[in-house]
Amino acid sequence: MTEQTANRRVVTNMSLSLDGRYARRDPRDMSWVMPYAHTDVARDHLTGLWEPATTALLGRVNAEGFLGFWPTVIGMPGVDPRDEGFAKWLVDADKVVLSGTLGESAPGRAPWERTTVVDRPTTEVVAGLRATGGGDILVLSSASVIKALLAADEVDRLALTVFPVFLGDGPRLFDDGLPAAEWALVSQTAGEHGTLALVYDRIR
């Protein structure tokens, strides 16, 4: 059972290429991720992140992608138990989607259960979530959300899955001008095809 605390951690998770990019120039092209996303190290890495979490925080684009796909995994023949576990967690968890357009017709409403759409600054939303009881707040691969939290020094745990490819172009996760910060390596795991899972905690 997840410990309920009033001082909740903000945990961010992102997949990166070896040259530090989280997407190709066309962000819809995820073909570079697929050979590595189904490895044991990637699945175990994600499991270790969602198990202590009770809230998923997403941007609109990732919400539409994650919540459109993952519920369909539940009960799928031959599904890996770790994938199904994550899918069930995502359905059952409280979800907060940051969007200025998704809830226009019905503010605060979303097409998914246990989901709230919020049109406020990321740091303000996170401050509100931190003040409530619950487990970790897990930011799932939403680059715009993660970048805003890094810029405000609001990330407590930084989880990265590094895939051994150079994309050559496309957006980078770490922008110039981030506040100086020290991080402690909590875990490192190398797996199939050179996949590397890293978890860092912010030293404050």
Side-chain angles (χ1 to χ4, degrees):
M1 184 175 183
T2 301
E3 182 182 358
Q4 302 294 302
T5 67
N7 187 22
R8 309 174 69 186
R9 291 187 305 185
V10 173
V11 180
T12 63
N13 184 48
M14 179 62 78
S15 297
L16 292 181
S17 65
L18 200 56
D19 57 345
R21 305 177 194 276
Y22 62 85
R24 292 190 189 275
R25 185 174 297 177
D26 179 358
R28 296 167 297 179
D29 178 6
M30 297 300 292
S31 60
W32 66 279
V33 170
M34 299 317 294
Y36 310 102
H38 301 299
T39 59
D40 285 334
V41 67
R43 284 180 163 126
D44 290 342
H45 173 75
L46 183 58
T47 299
L49 299 177
W50 66 255
E51 285 185 335
T54 55
T55 300
L57 180 62
L58 305 107
R60 179 187 60 81
V61 173
N62 269 50
E64 291 175 340
F66 272 70
L67 299 174
F69 169 72
W70 281 103
T72 69
V73 168
I74 300 172
M76 184 182 294
V79 65
D80 188 286
R82 293 164 294 185
D83 291 342
E84 187 167 40
F86 172 69
K88 289 179 177 178
W89 173 83
L90 187 61
V91 168
D92 293 338
D94 293 327
K95 293 169 283 292
V96 178
V97 178
L98 297 167
S99 174
T101 58
L102 189 59
E104 282 181 345
S105 59
R109 300 290 299 279
W112 312 290
E113 293 183 3
R114 301 182 66 87
T115 303
T116 303
V117 178
V118 183
D119 183 12
R120 296 201 308 275
T122 301
T123 52
E124 182 181 316
V125 173
V126 164
L129 290 172
R130 282 189 190 274
T132 64
D136 289 347
I137 303 159
L138 179 57
V139 186
L140 290 165
S141 303
S142 294
S144 62
V145 179
I146 295 173
K147 285 187 172 195
L149 293 172
L150 286 171
D153 196 15
E154 287 289 343
V155 176
D156 302 305
R157 172 160 287 187
L158 178 66
L160 303 170
T161 311
V162 181
F163 301 143
V165 294
F166 280 2
L167 294 184
D169 61 10
R172 297 180 184 273
L173 180 63
F174 302 112
D175 295 326
D176 290 340
L178 289 175
E182 293 185 16
W183 299 83
L185 181 64
V186 175
S187 67
Q188 56 180 326
T189 309
E192 309 97 306
H193 312 300
T195 302
L196 185 63
L198 302 168
V199 178
Y200 293 91
D201 278 353
R202 177 73 169 91
I203 299 173
R204 300 190 187 279

